[in-house]
Amino acid sequence: MKSFFCSIILTISLLAARAQQSPSEFLGYPLGTRFTPHHKVVDYFRKLADGNRMVKLETYGQTYEGRPLFLAVLSTPENIARIEDIRKGNLALLEGGATKDQPVIIWLSYNVHGNEAVSTEAAMRTAHSLLTDRQELLKNAVIIIDPCLNPDGRDRYVNFYNSVHARIPDATPFSREHVEPWPGGRPNHYYFDLNRDWAWQSQVESRQRVAQYNRWMPQVHVDFHEQGVDAPYYFAPAAEPLHDAVTEWQRAFQTQIGKHNATYFDANGWLYFTKEQFDLFYPSYGDTYPTYNGAIGMTYEQGGSGRAGLAILNREGDTLRLKDRLDHHFTTGIATIEVSVAQAGKLVDEFGKFFRDARQQPVSEYKTFVVKSGGNTEKLMSLVETLRRNDIKYGFATGNSSGNGFNYFTGKTENFSIEKGDLVVSAYQPRSTMVRVLFEPVARLTDSVTYDITAWAMPYAYGLPAYAVKARLQPAVSDAPEKIVVPPAEGATYAYLAAWNSMKDVKFLAALLNRNMRVRYAEAPFTIGGKIHPAGTLIITKSGNSSLDAVPALAARMGVNVTRVPTGFVDKGADFGSDKIRFIRKPKVGVLAGDGVSSLGMGEVWHYFEEQIEYPLTVLPVAALPGSSWKDLDVLIIPDGRYEALKDKNTASRLKDWVAAGGRLIVMEDAVAQLAEGEWGIAMKKEKEDEKEEADEKAVPSPYVNLKSYANRERESVSGFIPGAIYKVHLDKTHPLAFGYPEYYYTLKQNDQLLAYFKDDGWNVGALKGDDYLTGFVGATARERLRDGLIFGVKEIGTGEVVLMTDNPLFRSFWENGKLLFGNAVFFVGQ
C-alpha cells in the first residue's frame, strides 16, 4: 500500500513537472534576452506555486517603495507537507536537537545589488529546473530561493536600461545603455548597500529578510553577485583574511563546493578564479553573516554588473552577453545544490556540532561581555535591539557583583563592578560566534589586504562603557530591564526638562519642533531642585507653548523621560531667561544629491531624517547649485563627494555669503578637503615639509631603495591604506557640537584626512592628540599621518558656521554613537 501511494505521488509530481511553464514561455521572450521587471518575476513565481505541491511561497514583507519581498521554498511534496516540522526541527539543532532524518536546507539569495540584475533571471531558471528536470535534488533537501533581495534597486536599473538600450544591443562600452545615471541601481531606496547591512539591519528589507533567515537557519547560503565586466567568474573558497572564527569544516566544505563548480566551468572552458579578493571577515555580508551563524556562506561573482547591459565588449574584445552571465549563475547554483545534497547528512551533523560547541565550549578568548549604560539607558536599549534582531541572548543584572576584564575605553584589564541594570552577554549560547565577532575588542587579521572595514566592536559603535571578561560570569540576570520611562512627578509646571544624550532625544526634539513647540537648550550645566542637568539639556517652558500638557504623553510615547520643574530660578547656573539658555529656531534643512555626490553618503543623511528622526529634509539637485538661492534654508548638508560646483568661484562665493548671513553648512568626508582648496580659511593637516626636507638631506639613501618587487605591489600599496579602523577622539564638550558626550568619542576612520587645528578663527571640537589608534587595520604611512589633527571642527564666518566632519558619524547607520553628534550639528550649532 505504501508503495502504491508513493507511485501516485511520483506520478503527480511528474505531471506537475511537465505542466510547469518555463520562464521563457511565461514571459514571452527567451530568458536572457531582456531584463524582467520585478512584478513579472513575482507573477512567474506565483505561477510556479499555483497548485504545485513542491512549492510554497512565503511573502515576508515589502520594500520602502512597496514592492513585495518573498521566498520560494522548494522540496518534495512529502517535505512540503511537513515543512513547518522540518523548519522547527532544524531550529532545534541550535539547542541540541537530533539530526536524524533532517533534510539539508540550502538558501540561494539573488540580486542584493539591484544593478547586478542577471541574478534574478538566474533565480527563475534555477527554480524551474529544480521543479522539472532536476527534481531528484529535492529528495533530501529544502531549497529556499529569494529571487530578489533589492526590488527597488533592481527596478531602478531595469527601468533605466529598458528605456534606453538599442533595438539591437550596442556592445560599445561607452554607449548610453552602459552608463547608469546617478545614483545607479546598486542600492535600495535610501541608497544603502544591503549587502553590508545583514548584522546591523538598518534597512527595512534587511530587517524583514534576516528575521526569516533566523527562522530557517540554513546549512548552506549563496549570495549571487556581479563584478566588473572584465572579471572572470569568482566562486569559493574565499580569500584571506578569513576570520579565525570560521571553522575548519566550513573552510574545507567551501573548497569542496569550489572544486565541484570548477568541473562544470572546466568542461565548458569558462574562466574563473578562487581564493582572491572576496574575504570572510566583516560580519555584515551575505556570506559572513551566514558563516558566523553556522552555515557554509559564500559569495559568487559574475563579471558584468550595471555596465554590462544585454551585451558589452570586454577588454579582450569578446562580447559578454546576458545569456552567458545567466548560464554561469545557473550552473553554480545547481552545482552547489548537487554537492550539498550529496553531503546532506554531514552538513546537518556539522551544523549541529557548530552550535553544540558554541553552547558548551565557545572558542572566544572572552566568555562574558558586560555593557554599562553610563547614564544612557536609551543608548543601551538601542544596542539591545540590535542583539534581539540577531537572536543573541542577553540579560540585565538584577544586583551588584564584581568582575575583572578588559576595559574597552582604557585598553587595560582591571577590576570593575557589575551593577543592577548592566547588560550581560554570555558567550555560552547558540549565537556564540556572532557574540564574539560583534564584541571582540580586536579582530585579528590574517591578511592586511581586505575588502571592507576591519573594526566594528559594539561598545565603540554605541559609545558605551564595557568590559570583555575571560571568565564565565553568571550574575543574576533578568530578561527585561527595569522600567525606563518614569512619569514626571506631579506639581506646578513652569517647564519640562529632557536629557540630551541619545538618538531618542534627537527624535523627541524633532517631534517637538514639528509641532511648532518652542524649545531651548542649556549652554552650560545648571542645578535645579538639587539635581545637576548637563549642557544640552532641553527646556520646554510654559512661556510660548500653549500645549505644554502634551509633553509628558509625547515623551512617554517616544521612550524619553522628562522632568517637571515649578520654576525657572535655578540653584546654580543660568536661569531659564538667560542668554545662556539658547532658543532653538526650527531649521529648514537641505542636502545635496546628484552627480559627484556619494550616493551612500547622501542616502545615510536622507534615511537619518526621514526614517530615524522623522524631520523634513529638502533634497537639492547638485546640478542646480550654481543657480540656487539658499535664503529659505537654514542648514545645507554637503555629503561625501567631489563637487564641480564648488570649483566655480562665483558659486563658492555666493555660498560663503549665505553662511556669513547666518546659514549653516555641514560638510562631510572628502568634501571637507575640497572646501579646504578654496578660500574658506580651512586647511588640511600636512606633513612638516621643512623637517622632511632636512631629514632627506641628512639621510644617505641606499642605491637599491627603488628596486621593489613587482609581485609585492599589492602588499606595498596597503601602507597608506585604512579600510576602517577605530580611533579615540578628544572632545571639547563645552561646544554645542559635542553636547551629550563625555570628553571622548570613538570614530570609525576610513581615510587619512585630518584638518589642521584652528588657531583663532574656529573651534577644535574633536581632535586626535598624538596616536589615538585603538583597533582595526591601518597602514604604516597612514598611521603616521593620523596624529595631532582635527576630526570635527566648526569655522565661524560672519553670523553663520561651517561644521566640518572628516569622518562620517552616520556610517551605514550602524555607528550609533555618531548620530547624536550629527543631531548637534543640525539643531544646536549656531543657535
Side-chain angles (χ1 to χ4, degrees):
M1 182 64 71
K2 182 177 180 182
S3 175
F4 173 74
F5 281 116
C6 288
S7 297
I8 290 177
I9 290 171
L10 179 60
T11 301
I12 292 171
S13 299
L14 291 172
L15 289 172
R18 284 196 290 271
Q20 290 298 325
Q21 275 190 309
S22 71
S24 300
E25 291 169 335
F26 179 83
L27 297 169
Y29 51 83
L31 203 64
T33 61
R34 295 186 194 176
F35 287 109
T36 307
H38 183 256
H39 70 92
K40 289 189 176 182
V41 176
V42 175
D43 290 344
Y44 178 66
F45 274 91
R46 286 175 177 164
K47 179 68 175 178
L48 281 182
D50 187 20
N52 192 331
R53 297 173 57 209
M54 293 187 291
V55 187
K56 183 175 185 290
L57 292 190
E58 294 185 355
T59 299
Y60 64 84
Q62 63 180 21
T63 68
Y64 285 111
E65 295 177 15
R67 294 179 176 87
L69 297 163
F70 69 96
L71 304 172
V73 183
L74 283 63
S75 195
T76 62
E78 299 92 333
N79 284 339
I80 292 297
R82 65 182 188 97
I83 196 66
E84 188 61 12
D85 290 338
I86 289 173
R87 186 188 69 79
K88 290 179 179 178
N90 190 64
L91 280 186
L93 298 177
L94 277 66
E95 300 289 353
T99 62
K100 186 180 180 182
D101 299 327
Q102 188 67 33
V104 65
I105 299 177
I106 304 163
W107 185 307
L108 306 179
S109 289
Y110 298 88
N111 225 155
V112 68
H113 293 145
N115 60 3
E116 298 174 9
V118 69
S119 296
T120 295
E121 313 293 334
M124 291 188 284
R125 181 176 171 187
T126 302
H128 179 258
S129 178
L130 289 169
L131 296 173
T132 54
D133 58 300
R134 301 308 307 271
Q135 278 193 41
E136 79 280 1
L137 295 175
L138 300 178
K139 184 177 180 182
N140 295 316
V142 172
I143 314 296
I144 299 174
I145 292 178
D146 191 332
C148 188
L149 280 65
N150 183 6
D152 292 351
R154 176 183 172 82
D155 268 3
R156 189 184 309 124
Y157 173 75
V158 171
N159 291 336
F160 150 72
Y161 188 82
N162 286 347
S163 71
V164 301
H165 75 82
R167 185 173 62 84
I168 299 174
D170 187 346
T172 308
F174 50 81
S175 64
R176 178 174 68 159
E177 61 192 79
H178 299 301
V179 183
E180 286 183 83
W182 191 93
R186 179 182 174 91
N188 75 337
H189 172 78
Y190 282 111
Y191 308 158
F192 274 68
D193 184 337
L194 295 180
N195 188 43
R196 286 159 170 80
D197 195 43
W198 279 73
W200 322 132
Q201 298 166 50
S202 71
Q203 301 300 287
V204 68
E205 295 93 345
S206 304
R207 287 196 294 273
Q208 294 171 117
R209 180 184 69 255
V210 176
Q212 292 305 308
Y213 185 94
N214 287 328
R215 286 184 68 247
W216 281 98
M217 292 295 287
Q219 282 77 45
V220 178
H221 180 266
V222 183
D223 202 20
F224 290 88
H225 286 261
E226 291 185 75
Q227 53 188 323
V229 296
D230 297 316
Y233 199 97
Y234 164 84
F235 47 74
E240 292 287 350
L242 273 69
H243 196 290
D244 58 10
V246 181
T247 68
E248 289 301 318
W249 159 253
Q250 289 173 318
R251 293 168 184 249
F253 199 74
Q254 274 207 357
T255 300
Q256 191 172 343
I257 289 174
K259 288 180 176 179
H260 190 62
N261 284 336
T263 62
Y264 285 97
F265 277 63
D266 291 344
N268 286 284
W270 297 335
L271 291 175
Y272 59 93
F273 68 99
T274 65
K275 304 181 289 293
E276 296 180 61
Q277 290 187 310
F278 303 103
D279 57 66
L280 289 176
F281 196 69
Y282 171 69
S284 206
Y285 285 139
D287 54 7
T288 50
Y289 187 87
T291 297
Y292 297 147
N293 280 288
I296 310 300
M298 296 170 292
T299 287
Y300 291 171
E301 294 269 357
Q302 163 63 47
S305 198
R307 280 196 63 216
L310 294 177
I312 191 170
L313 283 171
N314 65 21
R315 66 186 173 198
E316 295 183 0
D318 294 328
T319 301
L320 176 64
R321 302 183 189 280
L322 179 61
K323 183 183 181 304
D324 304 326
R325 296 150 61 196
L326 175 57
D327 288 344
H328 300 163
H329 265 342
F330 169 74
T331 299
T332 54
I334 293 296
T336 299
I337 295 170
E338 286 175 344
V339 70
S340 300
V341 168
Q343 295 285 329
K346 181 66 171 174
L347 275 165
V348 174
D349 285 345
E350 289 290 340
F351 186 75
K353 181 178 182 299
F354 179 94
F355 290 102
R356 182 170 64 253
D357 290 346
R359 297 190 314 274
Q360 298 175 1
Q361 47 187 12
V363 295
S364 172
E365 175 186 5
Y366 298 103
K367 308 303 182 186
T368 312
F369 300 91
V370 179
V371 186
K372 308 176 81 63
S373 71
N376 202 326
T377 305
E378 293 161 355
K379 195 180 288 185
L380 183 68
M381 294 311 296
S382 180
L383 170 57
V384 167
E385 178 63 15
T386 297
L387 301 182
R388 185 194 64 77
R389 286 175 177 164
N390 287 290
D391 279 359
I392 291 172
K393 296 179 180 179
Y394 55 84
F396 297 91
T398 58
N400 297 332
S401 57
S402 62
N404 178 273
F406 174 86
N407 184 331
Y408 286 80
F409 286 9
T410 67
K412 299 177 181 178
T413 299
E414 56 195 44
N415 294 325
F416 69 97
S417 297
I418 301 174
E419 299 169 308
K420 186 177 182 180
D422 286 351
L423 177 68
V424 180
V425 184
S426 172
Y428 290 85
Q429 62 167 297
R431 310 281 178 160
S432 176
T433 301
M434 277 302 293
V435 170
R436 172 192 174 183
V437 172
L438 293 180
F439 279 92
E440 60 188 347
V442 178
R444 294 175 181 83
L445 279 167
T446 57
D447 194 317
S448 56
V449 180
T450 183
Y451 200 60
D452 211 285
I453 65 172
T454 56
W456 49 79
M458 294 291 94
Y460 298 128
Y462 283 80
L464 291 168
Y467 296 86
V469 181
K470 292 184 177 180
R472 182 179 185 178
L473 299 183
Q474 294 181 300
V477 296
S478 168
D479 291 339
E482 291 185 322
K483 190 174 182 181
I484 297 171
V485 179
V486 180
E490 296 294 330
T493 307
Y494 180 86
Y496 286 105
L497 309 181
W500 184 262
N501 60 16
S502 77
M503 262 296 286
K504 280 190 176 180
D505 304 324
V506 181
K507 187 174 181 177
F508 179 54
L509 172 60
L512 292 170
L513 296 177
N514 285 337
R515 289 163 173 76
N516 294 316
M517 298 195 71
R518 293 175 177 267
V519 186
R520 293 170 171 80
Y521 74 82
E523 188 181 81
F526 65 92
T527 303
I528 189 169
K531 182 179 178 181
I532 299 173
H533 297 270
T537 297
L538 300 180
I539 303 169
I540 309 105
T541 61
K542 180 186 295 184
S543 174
N545 288 306
S546 58
S547 56
L548 196 63
D549 292 343
V551 170
L554 178 63
R557 189 162 68 249
M558 303 186 75
V560 172
N561 280 301
V562 293
T563 300
R564 186 195 311 268
V565 291
T567 178
F569 187 94
V570 303
D571 304 333
K572 185 178 180 180
D575 295 328
F576 293 173
S578 166
D579 63 1
K580 292 182 176 60
I581 304 298
R582 300 289 188 174
F583 176 69
I584 302 174
R585 299 182 303 276
K586 181 180 179 181
K588 174 78 171 175
V589 185
V591 64
L592 294 179
D595 290 341
V597 183
S598 163
S599 59
L600 296 173
M602 181 271 167
E604 287 157 355
V605 173
W606 186 17
H607 184 263
Y608 178 88
F609 281 92
E610 287 201 351
E611 295 293 324
Q612 296 180 61
I613 68 170
E614 299 176 9
Y615 190 84
L617 177 72
T618 298
V619 178
L620 305 173
V622 70
L625 191 62
S628 295
S629 171
W630 310 295
K631 63 180 181 180
D632 295 328
L633 283 183
D634 301 296
V635 178
L636 178 61
I637 301 166
I638 302 184
D640 184 30
R642 292 296 295 177
Y643 294 84
E644 290 298 319
L646 291 181
K647 296 178 183 178
D648 177 69
K649 289 187 177 181
N650 181 56
T651 301
S653 177
R654 290 178 54 243
L655 191 58
K656 190 174 179 180
D657 289 344
W658 171 78
V659 173
R664 197 177 328 142
L665 202 60
I666 301 175
V667 190
M668 305 173 73
E669 298 184 273
D670 284 349
V672 173
Q674 190 172 359
L675 208 68
E677 295 169 2
E679 297 177 359
W680 290 82
I682 296 164
M684 304 305 294
K685 179 181 179 290
K686 297 180 180 179
E687 295 181 25
K688 296 179 180 178
E689 295 297 335
D690 294 340
E691 292 181 10
K692 185 175 185 297
E693 288 176 9
E694 184 180 340
D696 289 344
E697 289 174 4
K698 291 180 180 179
V700 179
S702 165
Y704 311 117
V705 68
N706 292 319
L707 298 182
K708 298 178 181 179
S709 169
Y710 181 75
N712 290 334
R713 64 194 184 280
E714 187 176 27
R715 298 271 167 256
E716 291 179 359
S717 69
V718 302
S719 66
F721 187 43
I722 175 168
I726 298 173
Y727 274 73
K728 182 178 182 178
V729 180
H730 302 268
L731 294 180
D732 173 7
K733 61 180 294 184
T734 67
H735 192 282
L737 185 60
F739 283 175
Y741 288 90
E743 293 177 347
Y744 48 80
Y745 168 82
Y746 296 93
T747 191
L748 186 65
K749 197 113 191 67
Q750 292 183 278
N751 56 57
D752 62 358
Q753 293 183 354
L754 289 176
L755 284 158
Y757 292 141
F758 289 117
K759 294 180 179 178
D760 302 316
D761 52 357
W763 300 103
N764 301 303
V765 183
L768 299 186
K769 298 179 180 179
D771 184 0
D772 283 313
Y773 163 83
L774 286 174
T775 182
F777 177 77
V778 185
T781 57
R783 184 164 176 178
E784 185 59 32
R785 285 194 293 269
L786 286 172
R787 56 177 68 230
D788 296 321
L790 196 60
I791 301 286
F792 305 116
V794 177
K795 168 78 173 179
E796 293 182 347
I797 299 176
T799 59
E801 293 81 20
V802 180
V803 181
L804 302 158
M805 298 179 165
T806 64
D807 290 349
N808 180 6
L810 303 181
F811 181 70
R812 293 181 188 167
S813 197
F814 94 87
W815 203 256
E816 191 72 21
N817 198 33
K819 295 176 181 178
L820 180 69
L821 189 82
F822 194 79
N824 288 340
V826 172
F827 295 108
F828 280 6
V829 173
Q831 297 282 13

